[in-house]
Amino acid sequence: MSDPSRIGTREQILDTALDLFSTQGYASTSLRQIADRQKLTKAALYYHFPAKELLLVELTRPFLEGLSQLVTEQRAIAEPDAEALLNAYLDLFVAHRDLLALLASDPATMHHPDIGLRARSL
């Protein structure tokens, strides 16, 4: 069973990272800045995320998994309902609008091989 305080801390770190990446840019944000904003030591931050790249990958994971699931489900349907597909697609984008704004505005994020390539292929 996961320790709830660890989960909260992890989510708080991700929220802070998204905020800083969005306002300063991915390349211009350091792990030190994220740790300072969370009032954590850099070692404590490293415990959860040993590299800044892992923060970005973890931030994009829910969106990319949701998009992948949507594609998989639609491919399995003989006659997909275009309106239902569009609604699900838009719901996914609205749910992840802050992340998508970051991806759209920061080339460093979309050029990441595990993120940009996967998003484009989906």
Side-chain angles (χ1 to χ4, degrees), residues 16-34 37 52 55-56 102 105-109:
T16 297
L18 180 57
D19 181 50
L20 289 172
F21 292 163
S22 296
T23 57
Q24 300 178 175
Y26 173 73
S28 298
T29 301
S30 69
L31 287 175
R32 166 62 63 206
Q33 291 170 315
I34 296 167
R37 174 83 63 92
K52 183 170 73 167
L55 281 164
L56 185 60
L102 169 65
S105 66
D106 191 334
T109 60

